[in-house]
Amino acid sequence: EKAVNLKKDLAEMQEWMTQAEEEYLEKDFEYKSPEELENAVEEMKRAKEDVWQKEVRVKILKDNIKMLAAKVPSSGQDLATELNVVLENYQLLCNRIRGKCHTLEEVWSCWIELLQYLDLETAWLNNLEERVQMTENLPDKLDAVNDGLESLESVLRHPADNRTQIRELGQTLIDGGILDDIISEKLEAFNARYEELSHLAVSRQIALEQQLQTMRETDHMLQVLQENLAELDTQLTSYLTDRVDAFQMPQEAQ
């Protein structure tokens, strides 16, 4: 009777493993929204926990069959053969569920990381847009234009590492068919805004550089002219002091 009950327990265990495999491993999942992906991750965590909890039952079956085999070798041998099959299937199920759970957790982590990088780069784009707008109505003064140019250039020196991560993470998820529509839409919007603002900022940078160069040249010309006028004023003052008649001086002095 004990052998019959153990045989029944082995059959039930095998049936449970078959159902678990169908439910957790053979379903064709499509992750088209973050909610679907998150639910799948939580489901696989529960599946992993459910499978591990069966480990106690498997161990009890193993011990009981060993005890029976020691007492009744003929009955125990047949059960031991069935037990080995159940143990192999159980270990395989554990490994597959653990592997799928790990994969889904990695995918979820990849999605969260992508959102974090997008948030960082969006904040940078907002800052860049603000700096461009600040340079549109600068006072026509050398210091103001120079400060505006330096402020804009400091933002443009932003490293490209985050954008590289966004591209790689997004492509990895899209290639796996995971959240591909949502990610494609997000990346398209981000890249379009990045290209537009970058082009605008660089154009504004070039315009400010040209404006600054023109102002510096003008400032230099005014400085030279001022120095010449000061020198001429000194000469004319000396002529007046010495009561020199202008008609006695060269034409340029007159």
Side-chain angles (χ1 to χ4, degrees):
E1 182 182 352
K2 188 171 185 179
V4 172
N5 289 335
L6 289 174
K7 190 176 183 66
K8 181 181 177 182
D9 290 341
L10 285 172
E12 289 177 352
M13 186 65 189
Q14 183 59 58
E15 182 180 358
W16 175 84
M17 288 190 293
T18 301
Q19 292 175 349
E21 185 172 352
E22 291 175 354
E23 182 176 357
Y24 299 127
L25 298 174
E26 294 184 359
K27 286 195 299 186
D28 186 19
F29 291 99
E30 286 189 2
Y31 311 114
K32 296 298 182 183
S33 72
E35 292 76 19
E36 289 179 359
L37 177 58
E38 186 174 20
N39 290 338
V41 172
E42 294 303 318
E43 182 180 0
M44 287 310 301
K45 286 181 179 179
R46 290 192 296 269
K48 186 171 71 170
E49 183 66 25
D50 191 19
V51 169
W52 294 143
Q53 287 178 354
K54 297 295 182 182
E55 187 176 11
V56 174
R57 183 181 177 186
V58 170
K59 187 177 184 305
I60 292 173
L61 273 173
K62 184 178 178 180
D63 292 341
N64 288 339
I65 289 173
K66 281 185 177 181
M67 291 174 59
L68 180 64
K71 294 178 180 179
V72 187
S74 57
S75 300
Q77 185 62 41
D78 293 338
L79 288 174
T81 301
E82 292 184 34
L83 174 66
N84 289 334
V85 174
V86 169
L87 291 176
E88 289 178 4
N89 291 341
Y90 176 73
Q91 191 59 51
L92 179 61
L93 179 65
C94 288
N95 292 340
R96 291 182 65 191
I97 286 183
R98 180 174 55 195
K100 185 169 183 178
C101 186
H102 176 73
T103 298
L104 284 176
E105 286 176 330
E106 287 291 313
V107 169
W108 179 254
S109 176
C110 188
W111 162 248
I112 296 300
E113 193 175 3
L114 174 62
L115 292 181
Q116 290 172 343
Y117 279 116
L118 280 172
D119 285 344
L120 287 173
E121 288 304 283
T122 298
W124 173 74
L125 286 176
N126 292 340
N127 189 20
L128 180 62
E129 185 174 26
E130 181 181 341
R131 294 298 176 90
V132 171
Q133 292 173 351
M134 288 172 59
T135 63
E136 290 178 352
N137 298 305
L138 293 173
D140 193 21
K141 296 180 179 180
L142 188 64
D143 289 344
V145 175
N146 187 60
D147 290 345
L149 178 60
E150 289 182 352
S151 176
L152 181 59
E153 287 177 337
S154 68
V155 180
L156 284 172
R157 285 192 289 269
H158 184 67
D161 296 353
N162 288 352
R163 294 193 299 279
T164 300
Q165 290 293 328
I166 288 172
R167 183 175 62 254
E168 292 179 353
L169 289 168
Q171 195 60 52
T172 297
L173 291 169
I174 290 173
D175 289 344
I178 299 167
L179 308 180
D180 45 355
D181 292 338
I182 292 176
I183 293 173
S184 295
E185 183 178 343
K186 283 182 175 292
L187 293 185
E188 184 177 349
F190 168 77
N191 289 330
R193 188 176 181 222
Y194 172 79
E195 292 298 328
E196 179 185 1
L197 278 177
S198 296
H199 178 73
L200 181 63
V202 171
S203 298
R204 189 65 185 145
Q205 179 188 22
I206 294 173
L208 287 173
E209 289 173 344
Q210 293 174 344
Q211 182 182 2
L212 189 61
Q213 180 64 26
T214 300
M215 294 178 74
R216 283 172 175 167
E217 291 174 354
T218 302
D219 189 62
H220 177 69
M221 290 174 60
L222 289 174
Q223 185 177 356
V224 171
L225 179 60
Q226 188 175 14
E227 290 174 354
N228 290 338
L229 288 174
E231 183 181 352
L232 180 59
D233 182 66
T234 301
Q235 291 177 351
L236 292 176
T237 301
S238 68
Y239 294 160
L240 292 173
T241 302
D242 296 339
R243 298 183 180 276
V244 176
D245 190 337
F247 291 105
Q248 295 175 355
M249 304 306 297
Q251 184 67 34
E252 62 270 14
Q254 297 181 32

